[in-house]
Amino acid sequence: MTARVYIPADSGALAVGADEVATALVAAARRRNVVLDLVRTGSRGLYWLEPMVEVETKAGRIAYGPVGADDVEGLLDAGLLQGGGHALRIGRPEEVPFLKRQTRLTFARCGITDPLSIADYRAHGGFVGLERALALAPAAIVEEVVQSGLRGRGGAGFPTGIKWRTVLQTDGAQKYIVCNADEGDSGTFADRMIMEGDPLVLIEGMAIAGIATGASKGYVYIRSEYPHAVAAMAAAVAAARREGYLGPAVAGSAHPFDIEIRVGAGAYVCGEETALLDSLEGKRGMVRAKPPLPAHRGLFGKPTVINNVISFASVPIILSSGAAFYRDFGMGRSRGTMPIQLAGNVKRGGLFEAAFGLTLGELVDDIAGGTASGRPVRAVQVGGPLGAYFPRALFDTPFDYEAFTARDGLIGHGGIVVFDDTVDMARQARFAMEFCAVESCGKCTPCRIGSTRGAEVIDRIRGGEEREANIALVEDLCNTMKLGSLCALGGFTPYPVMSALKHFPEDFGASPRLAAAE
Amino acid sequence: MPSPSWSKERAEAIIEAHRRREGAALPILHALQEAFGYVPEDTVPLIAEALNLTRAEVHGIVTFYHDFRHAPPGRHVLKLCRAEACQSMGGDALAEAAQARLQAGWGETTGDGSLTLEPVYCLGLCACAPAAMLDGKPVGRLDAKRLAALVDGARR
Ligand SMILES: Cc1cc2nc3c(=O)[nH]c(=O)nc-3n(C[C@H](O)[C@H](O)[C@H](O)COP(=O)(O)O)c2cc1C
Ligand code: SF4
Ligand code: FES
């Protein structure tokens, strides 16, 4: 008999033993004279169930997890390949509440298809957006993206279509499409999952951007911490080129477009778009002053679209289903869906793509199921190392760009890191300062020096030295950093620091009343 | 792991293979580090000449990026995540345990030359924290016991 089995090759699944499970399964099947058709997929994003094994049955796919290599014999005995009963049997993955509650637009194929198979990609709706784009005039493609309401998913939330329009309207013989795959924020892995699990959707999105703006060359700048994503993207680019989706005539059209993969070198600040461009040019990753905008003078001084991985990967569905379809999801000025990443001390960690508007409490308590440690949730950092710490009292905040800004926070790239009641918030505030000091590009004094000073002063507070005066000094430093920094590294480090001070003053030895009155 | 001894001929061949690419500096530095395990100081003038930059400029680039090593690493490299999601799952205690077990601080190599310990700020494995990467292989859901088995296994 032949049996089709799916096991993720996503690095999150590999980190908990997916390769060992695959090896054990192949060996056991051979001993039993079963021919296995093993497909390595991306991850569904249900990481607490990884390594997850799915088998094709008459009733659709049946999942098992988390599977260890030593579970394999028992699973086969229980009839794994027919979807038989076992303690690890999950049933149909689509019925797992964590997945069932999602709206998977950008991640529709992730965890389902073979990431490098063009045929599989096409069979699941791939390249329909590109074909529609090829039938439109560039300005009409741009208009579709504008109308969808898509905002940049890298952090700043700038409307993607407006950026594309600027590049379209800027003259230039050579223009570039640059994909920001630096994903440096702790608690985020959506870019990594797409690049490993559905790289062709990113390639399709970038090709559409090229056609829309008149750019023929694209770069994907991937952080070096993601070797598996680098390999998957390189293989997917080669596959797309072989099948004519990249190259001198994209999908047989008159548009040339090709993509090159570049690897970062461990500098967080290179996620900032202008520092990234400098780095791509072969320089130190220094932040540039704006203007000029990258749309006018970007990579090598040429008009450049620079967008996050998820921004590009959301474009194919916008083109294939239409701007109105996408815009109908969400709330206020936050349209469409957001891949939210539930991370850290959570019972159910993973990727949760949903329309904007769920509250922080729903996400942390209901969907993530509280902490992995079983202790009470005390603080939640949203939006990476430059994002604010939220206490339970603010769990009614809806996941929406403006709602988070109104509460002195940001949603950033959509990462949520949960901490239980053992967390020391003064230590977290110190870490924020230390991280800024380590990663500062060095251009602005408040960022470079202020963060080092900030870490020292917080050490003194933690040591019980002149608490009131030193807390005032930290607040002062934060103000200087906010006002005197060119980019959000120096400018937003005050968010985690100030939110820790404001919502958790007891960890700084301050009287709660004093800090709250501030 | 790459051989720690570098040769001028190999370095020149690597530089030659990449020098005509747009923004060639990072691809060259990555390729050198992949070949030698670090970026030898003596390659700086070679890169400068190939890319028409000053030595100071190349030196500035090499030192700006945390990835590039200035000395050969041990036979294995363990990158341990120190960022927030891993902190929330006991990453700080794990880091202390690792340093004590290896008798090596951040960026240092064990006395027997078997392993270099490096800090990393997020590996995108934040839903399987605490996480690390051993010679490019991701590992998650670490605790002191699993980490000890991992490093002991590699150093054997
Ligand atoms: C210090 C710093 C780090 C950043 N890191 C990233 C990153 O890793 N990925 C990303 O897409 N955007 C990052 N950004 C935001 C980018 O500067 C920029 O807004 C983004 O690439 C624009 O793409 P988007 O509009 O599609 O979001 C960072 C910004 C700053 C200030
Ligand atoms: S705020 Fe910091 S990282 Fe940003 S430009 Fe200034 S010194 Fe560089
Ligand atoms: S914070 Fe450690 S892997 Fe992301």
Side-chain angles (χ1 to χ4, degrees):
Chain A
M1 65 171 281
T2 308
R4 174 169 281 194
V5 178
Y6 303 88
I7 299 179
D10 169 280
S11 48
L14 298 183
V16 292
D19 271 349
E20 288 76 1
V21 172
T23 307
L25 189 63
V26 167
R30 189 174 301 132
R31 282 195 297 273
R32 293 170 190 235
N33 291 318
V34 178
V35 183
L36 269 196
D37 175 11
L38 175 62
V39 182
R40 301 303 298 267
T41 59
S43 170
R44 299 253 193 187
L46 283 54
Y47 280 108
W48 77 100
L49 295 174
E50 294 286 5
M52 204 160 100
V53 174
E54 296 181 31
V55 288
E56 188 88 62
T57 73
K58 289 194 194 73
R61 289 194 193 177
I62 300 295
Y64 297 79
V67 176
D70 44 10
D71 294 321
V72 164
E73 289 290 349
L75 278 163
L76 286 169
D77 289 343
L80 169 83
L81 302 177
Q82 294 77 41
H86 188 277
L88 296 176
R89 188 180 191 274
I90 297 161
R92 289 177 48 74
E94 299 81 9
E95 297 301 321
V96 178
F98 188 94
L99 200 50
K100 196 168 187 173
R101 290 179 72 175
Q102 302 193 36
T103 304
R104 288 231 162 163
L105 304 183
T106 308
F107 279 78
R109 276 171 299 265
C110 195
I112 297 174
T113 52
D114 173 349
L116 299 180
S117 162
I118 301 268
D120 226 8
Y121 185 66
R122 290 199 63 102
H124 288 81
F127 292 127
V128 176
L130 176 65
E131 276 149 24
R132 169 130 191 276
L134 286 171
L136 295 174
I141 305 173
V142 169
E143 195 53 26
E144 196 79 37
V145 178
V146 172
Q147 289 304 323
S148 74
L150 176 66
R151 291 165 70 176
R153 301 294 190 234
F158 186 82
T160 303
I162 307 283
K163 193 182 276 184
W164 290 21
R165 187 190 281 156
T166 311
V167 175
L168 172 64
Q169 291 172 351
T170 304
D171 287 331
Q174 173 75 63
K175 299 181 187 179
Y176 291 103
I177 305 296
V178 175
C179 174
N180 187 340
D182 201 50
E183 196 164 61
D185 292 357
S186 164
T188 69
F189 42 83
D191 297 352
R192 178 185 65 65
M193 278 183 67
I194 277 290
M195 290 189 284
E196 294 177 357
D198 194 14
L200 293 165
V201 79
L202 172 56
I203 292 171
E204 184 180 353
M206 289 178 70
I208 294 172
I211 292 161
T213 58
S216 57
K217 171 107 198 211
Y219 280 101
V220 185
Y221 183 96
I222 310 176
R223 64 200 300 256
S224 60
E225 293 84 347
Y226 284 0
H228 296 77
V230 171
M233 281 307 301
V237 163
R241 211 177 272 148
R242 261 195 316 272
E243 307 254 346
Y245 287 102
L246 291 175
V250 171
S253 72
H255 297 278
F257 187 74
D258 214 331
I259 291 177
E260 191 175 330
I261 309 299
R262 285 294 172 94
V263 182
Y268 177 76
V269 74
C270 288
E272 196 282 333
E273 56 186 15
T274 60
L276 187 153
L277 295 176
D278 265 16
S279 181
L280 261 184
E281 290 180 10
K283 306 174 188 154
R284 297 154 62 99
M286 299 293 278
V287 175
R288 302 176 185 174
K290 285 187 249 182
L293 294 172
H296 290 132
R297 258 186 284 152
L299 187 61
F300 300 110
K302 308 286 191 255
T304 300
V305 168
I306 175 162
N307 275 123
N308 172 254
V309 172
I310 302 300
S311 310
F312 284 123
S314 300
V315 166
I317 184 90
I318 291 169
L319 266 294
S320 64
S321 299
F325 168 82
Y326 191 79
R327 192 181 52 221
D328 277 351
F329 297 95
M331 67 176 280
R333 296 207 295 117
S334 304
R335 310 310 314 177
T337 58
M338 181 78 188
I340 294 162
Q341 298 128 85
L342 299 164
N345 197 336
V346 280
K347 197 163 152 209
R348 291 186 289 271
L351 184 114
F352 193 88
E353 180 176 355
F356 287 93
L358 286 168
T359 67
L360 190 53
E362 284 174 288
L363 288 163
V364 172
D365 294 331
D366 302 350
I367 292 161
T371 61
S373 61
R375 303 182 66 93
V377 173
R378 179 152 184 255
V380 171
Q381 188 177 30
V382 184
L386 310 177
Y389 284 98
F390 280 71
R392 292 202 68 94
L394 297 181
F395 271 20
D396 61 339
T397 314
F399 213 79
D400 161 89
Y401 292 102
E402 280 68 38
F404 267 75
T405 309
R407 291 197 157 161
D408 290 331
L410 49 101
I411 65 174
H413 186 47
I416 297 183
V417 177
V418 176
F419 292 81
D420 72 12
D421 62 350
T422 59
V423 68
D424 173 353
M425 293 306 295
R427 186 174 174 143
Q428 296 310 121
R430 189 206 190 275
F431 176 78
M433 286 291 194
E434 181 194 330
F435 184 75
C436 180
V438 171
E439 299 298 333
S440 170
C441 85
K443 204 161 186 163
C444 328
T445 314
C447 170
R448 193 183 65 237
I449 309 290
S451 54
T452 306
R453 287 273 290 136
E456 291 163 5
V457 178
I458 296 173
D459 279 342
R460 268 182 241 132
I461 297 170
R462 295 181 71 207
E465 255 179 74
E466 297 180 67
R467 286 199 168 108
E468 308 283 302
N470 278 321
I471 286 176
L473 192 54
V474 169
E475 290 172 352
D476 230 40
L477 271 169
C478 280
N479 273 327
T480 311
M481 287 171 72
K482 257 189 192 164
L483 298 174
S485 297
L486 185 58
C487 86
L489 182 49
F492 288 4
T493 291
Y495 276 127
V497 176
M498 291 303 294
S499 58
L501 256 172
K502 180 172 171 191
H503 303 304
F504 307 93
E506 60 276 20
D507 289 21
F508 296 79
S511 94
R513 218 165 19 86
L514 243 181
E518 186 265 324
Chain B
M1 274 277 114
S3 99
S5 59
W6 82 287
S7 85
K8 190 168 181 226
E9 293 68 37
R10 261 184 92 195
E12 281 171 340
I14 289 168
I15 294 167
E16 182 57 30
H18 293 282
R19 62 182 289 184
R20 281 172 202 86
R21 298 172 71 177
E22 286 186 324
L26 257 61
I28 287 175
L29 293 170
H30 275 305
L32 288 171
Q33 177 145 310
E34 195 173 313
F36 307 123
Y38 70 116
V39 178
E41 183 65 34
D42 291 341
T43 60
V44 168
L46 306 178
I47 301 169
E49 197 185 319
L51 300 184
N52 208 6
L53 297 169
T54 66
R55 287 178 192 205
E57 281 170 323
V58 175
H59 180 78
I61 297 167
V62 180
T63 51
F64 181 84
Y65 295 98
H66 301 305
D67 272 5
F68 300 123
R69 296 187 196 99
H70 309 294
R75 289 194 303 282
H76 302 280
V77 175
L78 178 73
K79 292 176 188 269
L80 197 57
C81 179
R82 302 185 66 196
E84 290 91 333
C86 288
Q87 291 166 9
S88 78
M89 289 295 281
D92 288 342
L94 194 67
E96 275 167 37
Q99 300 201 349
R101 185 168 198 94
L102 299 169
Q103 294 287 302
W106 299 119
E108 291 177 9
T109 302
T110 53
D112 63 357
S114 63
L115 187 138
T116 300
L117 178 66
E118 293 182 346
V120 65
Y121 293 92
C122 193
L123 292 160
L125 305 172
C126 334
C128 313
M133 201 170 253
L134 179 66
D135 299 333
K137 186 183 178 323
V139 268
R141 290 183 202 145
L142 278 170
D143 54 28
K145 219 175 117 197
R146 274 198 71 193
L147 185 73
L150 190 72
V151 297
D152 292 356
R155 296 176 67 190
R156 211 173 290 128

